[in-house]
Amino acid sequence: MPERRTVALVTLGCARNEVDSEELAGRLAADGWELVEDAADADVAVVNTCGFVEAAKKDSVDALLEANDLKDQGKTQAVVAVGCMAERYGKELAEALPEADGVLGFDDYADISDRLQTILNGGIHASHTPRDRRKLLPISPAARQDTAVALPGHAQAVPGEPTPSAEVAEAPADLPDGVAPASGPRAPLRRRLDKSPVASVKLASGCDRRCSFCAIPSFRGSFISRRPGDVLGETRWLAEQGVKEIMLVSENNTSYGKDLGDIRLLETLLPELAEVDGIERVRVSYLQPAEMRPGLIDVLTSTPKVVPYFDLSFQHSAPDVLRAMRRFGDTDRFLELLDTIRSKAPQAGVRSNFIVGFPGEKESDFAELERFLTHARLDAIGVFGYSDEDGTEAVTYDGKLDADTIAERLAHMQRLAEELTSQRAEERIGETLEVLVESVEAVDDEGDGAYGRAAHQAPETDGQVVFTDSTGLVPGRIVTAKVVGTLGVDLVAEPLHLEEAAG
């Protein structure tokens, strides 16, 4: 009998990392590893790190150190770093953090089982050597599909495992003329790590944009789409696992299909995903305002089961700051885009992130951003203070603001964001929403508390719905509810048709 080997995956960062962890879990399970939830119960703790901004890096280091504490207590035997921070810094991270027994990059994912076994046996695997992953793919998007570059979250075939069902073996979604489908049905190389009714699906990886503040393309690489048949097959498989909502993730979903010969491919794929048996919601995240197309807005606001949700990466609204960021737009154009969306779907959800204190940001620029936020009626707002990121163009810019000014502007804009999103939530009082129940928890001796999300609320980032009554509510059920109050950005809602929900 083979020796029992256990592994725990600790995931930090965004939904893209969650998909990558489930791919790693699929690879390890296929090779006989037993997946456990708690790192204290595992032979190897694998920490999937985030390397986006300083706060995320600190969280990743803290998680590695916490896992190392378990090793010191004899509760786990090895600690291994993977993910964006490991890919971005590699040997440098290994030298700065000797507590990690291994630092593995994306190229190691295909051999993750062997890598962990070597480390568990006391061997040493050379730490990952970082490189600019943009240079690994052809400059022309049309030439990227058949390259052999490691793309976390894109893998399909599980060695020795059959396709999960006949449904997955159906013909893939339509491809543009001249693009051949992948040969034969392929089962998703993925193992779910929780029982949530929501799951993310990788639509693409990498980014061709060159925002001056962002280092992501250097360690995630250039943009490359997954084939629609793979996305559709994985969605069918997730539906079989009990998933009710899928969220399409990538660094830039609005570019989907450009390397497959059809920049409008997302508009074709979304209705097919919505028709998958068992899927009640399809959500699209990470949309670039400068790339929004009328046809895409139409599909997002009119397709049954595709929620009218717009995660728009505005970042700022002052023209001079946007140009320095190597982005496009201004306050009035952004407001026009929001008006267009709401004219088609008045209840549409909109969220965005913003950077304050960017090099050269004048007080008038800051006031312009405040004007935009005041008029935009966003449901969720993330605000970050600018910080230099290794390898980005903005590091070389003149006009850097001092730390106190950035902190002051950040605090002011965060207070404004909290006030504005609370007001936006109050505007929804009286609305009738379709809410996906996500959890029913024991609160006290008087009963349970039930929580869910409406169509305008994405997981983790956009608040939630708190039900006034949990009778008949179970995770994974879509319930009609009326908004009767707010708790900051969260909504308080009364379930309707409880008898039907209980049935």
Side-chain angles (χ1 to χ4, degrees):
M1 175 177 286
E3 182 181 358
R4 179 175 182 261
R5 303 174 297 176
T6 57
V7 60
L9 286 147
V10 179
T11 306
L12 294 96
C14 65
R16 301 186 295 272
N17 255 18
E18 294 171 6
V19 176
D20 296 350
S21 284
E22 293 197 347
E23 179 193 307
L24 291 173
R27 290 184 181 278
L28 291 165
D31 204 46
W33 290 77
E34 180 181 341
L35 302 170
V36 297
E37 292 185 11
D38 193 338
D41 300 325
D43 296 323
V44 183
V46 177
V47 180
N48 192 350
T49 60
C50 178
F52 181 36
V53 293
E54 286 304 318
K57 296 175 198 173
K58 181 180 183 304
D59 289 344
S60 295
V61 170
D62 289 345
L64 288 163
L65 293 174
E66 184 177 338
N68 185 68
D69 288 342
L70 296 175
K71 185 174 67 173
D72 291 342
Q73 298 168 26
K75 294 181 179 179
T76 190
Q77 298 179 47
V79 176
V80 175
V82 299
C84 291
M85 190 175 181
E87 174 66 37
R88 184 176 181 184
Y89 294 104
K91 291 181 177 180
E92 182 181 342
L93 176 62
E95 292 170 0
L97 201 70
E99 292 86 352
D101 298 290
V103 175
L104 307 180
F106 298 151
D107 293 334
D108 291 304
Y109 282 21
D111 300 308
I112 188 67
S113 177
D114 290 342
R115 300 287 188 265
L116 297 191
Q117 188 64 60
T118 296
I119 293 168
L120 186 60
N121 290 342
I124 297 175
H125 179 73
S127 296
H128 164 66
T129 300
R131 52 183 171 167
D132 189 338
R133 296 192 73 84
R134 290 171 292 192
K135 299 177 180 179
L136 303 183
L137 289 168
I139 294 176
S140 169
R144 293 174 185 167
Q145 279 293 315
D146 295 323
T147 57
V149 173
L151 298 168
H154 287 227
Q156 289 295 314
V158 179
E161 285 195 8
T163 299
S165 73
E167 265 200 308
V168 180
E170 292 178 6
D174 293 337
L175 283 167
D177 291 340
V179 179
S183 57
R186 296 186 293 172
L189 179 49
R190 182 169 181 171
R191 177 67 63 91
R192 297 218 67 204
L193 294 173
D194 61 39
K195 296 180 180 179
S196 170
V198 184
S200 296
V201 176
K202 275 278 184 80
L203 194 62
S205 286
C207 187
D208 286 341
R209 302 184 72 88
R210 293 296 178 261
C211 301
S212 62
F213 57 83
C214 183
I216 289 176
S218 66
F219 57 85
R220 278 289 185 178
S222 297
F223 184 88
I224 184 166
S225 303
R226 289 184 74 191
R227 290 176 180 266
D230 290 343
V231 177
L232 186 60
E234 185 166 328
T235 299
R236 288 178 173 139
W237 178 82
L238 287 168
E240 292 180 352
Q241 311 302 306
V243 169
K244 299 300 180 183
E245 175 182 325
I246 62 162
M247 184 166 73
L248 300 178
V249 299
S250 75
E251 280 72 23
N252 178 9
N253 281 332
T254 34
S255 283
Y256 180 70
K258 72 175 187 179
D259 51 324
L260 291 170
D262 185 359
I263 191 60
R264 295 174 178 81
L265 191 55
L266 183 56
E267 288 97 299
T268 303
L269 179 60
L270 284 172
E272 297 190 56
L273 293 171
E275 292 175 359
V276 171
D277 188 33
I279 295 297
E280 299 295 333
R281 274 190 190 160
V282 178
R283 184 183 303 277
V284 184
S285 62
Y286 305 112
L287 301 169
Q288 286 290 341
E291 297 180 29
M292 290 300 296
R293 306 174 292 277
L296 179 56
I297 294 174
D298 287 342
V299 170
L300 288 170
T301 55
S302 66
T303 308
K305 296 188 179 182
V306 175
V307 296
Y309 175 78
F310 293 82
D311 176 11
L312 294 164
S313 177
F314 289 122
Q315 301 299 345
H316 212 284
S317 71
D320 289 346
V321 176
L322 286 168
R323 301 305 176 269
M325 289 179 169
R326 296 201 178 278
R327 298 177 67 84
F328 305 94
D330 56 46
T331 295
D332 293 336
R333 275 190 276 184
F334 290 164
L335 291 176
E336 288 174 7
L337 172 60
L338 295 178
D339 286 344
T340 298
I341 290 168
R342 289 173 175 140
S343 70
K344 298 175 182 295
Q347 288 185 324
V350 186
R351 83 167 321 275
S352 192
N353 293 322
F354 300 89
I355 299 172
V356 297
F358 193 78
E361 182 190 63
K362 302 183 293 292
E363 289 187 9
S364 59
D365 296 324
F366 187 70
E368 183 69 2
L369 175 57
E370 186 170 343
R371 180 172 81 91
F372 172 68
L373 290 177
T374 302
H375 290 86
R377 297 171 56 235
L378 303 180
D379 293 278
I381 300 170
V383 187
F384 302 89
Y386 172 80
S387 62
D388 284 338
E389 284 296 318
D390 299 334
T392 62
E393 181 182 352
V395 170
T396 68
Y397 283 3
D398 295 328
K400 298 282 178 64
L401 279 64
D402 63 77
D404 289 343
T405 299
I406 293 175
E408 181 181 339
R409 291 185 181 182
L410 175 62
H412 174 86
M413 204 60 80
Q414 286 177 330
R415 288 193 299 269
L416 178 63
E418 183 176 353
E419 177 183 343
L420 292 172
T421 51
S422 295
Q423 290 176 2
R424 178 67 181 123
E426 290 172 1
E427 291 178 17
R428 292 190 180 274
I429 293 176
E431 287 187 5
T432 299
L433 307 174
E434 298 298 310
V435 183
L436 174 63
V437 182
E438 289 196 308
S439 65
V440 179
E441 305 169 0
V443 177
D444 51 35
D445 294 336
E446 297 181 2
D448 298 333
Y451 306 88
R453 286 179 302 99
H456 70 279
Q457 297 168 316
E460 307 293 336
T461 59
D462 299 347
Q464 61 184 355
V465 173
V466 182
F467 289 103
T468 60
D469 185 353
S470 63
T471 304
L473 302 185
V474 294
R477 186 179 294 276
I478 299 283
V479 176
T480 303
K482 182 177 181 179
V483 182
V484 297
T486 64
L487 296 168
V489 72
D490 295 337
L491 304 179
V492 179
E494 175 186 350
L496 305 177
H497 316 303
L498 288 178
E499 297 82 2
E500 179 182 338

